[in-house]
């Protein structure tokens, strides 16, 4: 059984004060996180501490949006996994915006995954093709290459602690989501297929895989009806408490 996981990727949004407000709204509307769904909030680094304090002992988890792979040292402006381990349970690694704007590669993604796992942080590893690759019918090839790069050198026991997010880049922030069956096929073939080749069928079936890209309350059910999709990585809709809560509720309903 794979517990569905809904993660809100706030990206570069929300001050400390705004974070407190959004966390309060989400908790007020949702109450406790439902039993059937793991709910993760990924605010900016600057908000992790207040979010952690305001969540207290509730069942919501926190995630960072990035990290650097060294534990400490002269790396001005970077944040280490050791620092994050005190604040968060998860860390998003390899988001397409980091690949696109900040020079993230399959190699740096791999280093970051290893560094996160070494301190007990659970990576949410993002993979997905850009529009030109999608249109050229190269989706599976691209995602397989990203998967092999990201997971190189890992052992099956480590992969248990990893979540993967399939995010077609053309669907992120565009309002043009993939289709449920389309996303499911990529996850089944390219993501679980590569996991099976690298780590065996059991790991491939046990690993949780989210869909991401223009997820809304209106389309979440279409994704959660798919057998290989175990939740979502939600960007824009995670900034509105009502939308995010509806996405969590719809996931609980679809997966129960
Ligand atoms: P979106 O972003 O939901 O705004 O498309 C998803 C993501 O980037 O993780």
């Amino acid at each position: 059984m794979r517990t569905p996981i809904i993660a809100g990727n706030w990206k570069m949004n929300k001050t400390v004060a705004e974070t407190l407000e959004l966390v309060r709204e989400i908790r007020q509307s949702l109450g406790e996180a439902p039993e059937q769904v793991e709910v993760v909030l990924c605010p900016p680094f600057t908000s992790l501490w207040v979010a952690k304090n305001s969540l207290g002992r509730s069942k919501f988890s926190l995630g960072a949006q990035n990290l650097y792979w060294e534990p400490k040292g002269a790396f001005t402006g970077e944040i280490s996994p050791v620092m994050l381990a005190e604040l968060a349970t998860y860390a998003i690694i390899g988001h397409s915006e980091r690949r696109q704007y900040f020079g993230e590669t399959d190699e740096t993604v791999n280093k970051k995954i290893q560094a996160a796992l070494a301190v007990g942080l659970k990576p949410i590893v993002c993979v997905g093709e850009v529009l030109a690759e999608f249109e050229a019918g190269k989706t599976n090839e691209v995602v397989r290459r990203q998967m092999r790069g990201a997971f190189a050198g890992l052992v099956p026991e480590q992969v248990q602690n990893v979540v993967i997010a399939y995010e077609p880049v053309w669907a992120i922030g565009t309002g043009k989501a993939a289709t449920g069956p389309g996303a499911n096929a990529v996850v089944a073939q390219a993501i679980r297929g590569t996991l099976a080749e690298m780590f065996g069928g059991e790991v491939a079936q046990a690993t949780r895989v989210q869909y991401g890209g223009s997820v809304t309350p209106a389309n979440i059910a279409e994704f959660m009806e798919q057998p290989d999709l175990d939740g979502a990585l939600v960007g824009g809709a995670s900034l509105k408490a009502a939308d995010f809560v509806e996405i969590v509720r719809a996931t609980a309903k679809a997966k129960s």
Side-chain angles (χ1 to χ4, degrees):
M1 261 308 285
R2 304 186 299 255
T3 304
I5 175 167
I6 297 292
N9 174 12
W10 294 9
K11 309 193 181 186
M12 197 176 74
N13 292 291
K14 303 296 176 187
T15 64
V16 165
E18 290 165 349
T19 296
L20 288 169
E21 178 62 12
L22 183 54
V23 168
R24 192 187 58 74
E25 283 173 11
I26 291 170
R27 292 189 69 190
Q28 198 166 52
S29 158
L30 193 60
E32 265 310 310
E35 285 293 324
Q36 315 93 311
V37 182
E38 193 174 348
V39 181
V40 186
L41 307 179
C42 306
F45 289 133
T46 43
S47 285
L48 281 169
W49 175 245
V50 283
K52 181 179 160 74
N53 281 327
S54 100
L55 286 170
R57 296 172 65 83
S58 82
K59 282 177 52 227
F60 295 86
S61 301
L62 283 174
Q65 297 175 15
N66 181 35
L67 49 74
Y68 190 59
W69 55 79
E70 293 291 345
K72 63 177 180 177
F75 302 101
T76 301
E78 293 297 313
I79 307 281
S80 90
V82 180
M83 297 166 180
L84 292 172
E86 290 183 350
L87 297 169
T89 308
Y90 290 91
I92 299 171
I93 294 177
H95 190 279
S96 66
E97 286 150 17
R98 297 219 60 87
R99 295 179 191 253
Q100 200 178 341
Y101 307 129
F102 303 103
E104 194 87 88
T105 64
D106 292 339
E107 290 69 39
T108 60
V109 167
N110 178 253
K111 284 185 177 183
K112 290 180 178 189
I113 294 172
Q114 307 240 23
L117 290 170
V119 297
L121 270 175
K122 298 177 179 180
I124 299 176
V125 181
C126 302
V127 295
E129 80 286 3
V130 301
L131 184 60
E133 293 161 340
F134 175 72
E135 287 176 339
K138 295 208 166 117
T139 298
N140 279 358
E141 179 189 324
V142 169
V143 172
R144 281 181 176 274
R145 188 182 66 230
Q146 291 173 334
M147 286 290 299
R148 282 195 297 268
F151 288 88
L154 266 65
V155 297
E157 296 69 52
Q158 290 178 299
V159 183
Q160 286 175 353
N161 293 314
V162 177
V163 174
I164 298 165
Y166 169 54
E167 299 204 303
V169 180
W170 47 269
I172 295 177
T174 59
K176 192 177 171 295
T179 64
N184 194 76
V186 176
V187 171
Q189 293 160 25
I191 294 183
R192 296 202 195 280
T194 306
L195 287 174
E197 283 160 23
M198 295 180 79
F199 306 108
E202 216 168 292
V203 169
Q205 284 314 307
T207 303
R208 294 184 292 175
V209 186
Q210 301 171 310
Y211 167 76
S214 296
V215 168
T216 65
N219 65 22
I220 183 69
E222 175 182 349
F223 293 104
M224 294 306 95
E225 279 160 13
Q226 302 296 323
D228 282 296
L229 303 182
D230 309 310
L233 183 55
V234 184
S238 73
L239 297 172
K240 287 200 208 114
D243 286 356
F244 187 66
V245 165
E246 212 173 315
I247 287 167
V248 171
R249 288 218 177 97
T251 300
K253 190 164 164 228
K255 294 293 186 189
S256 61

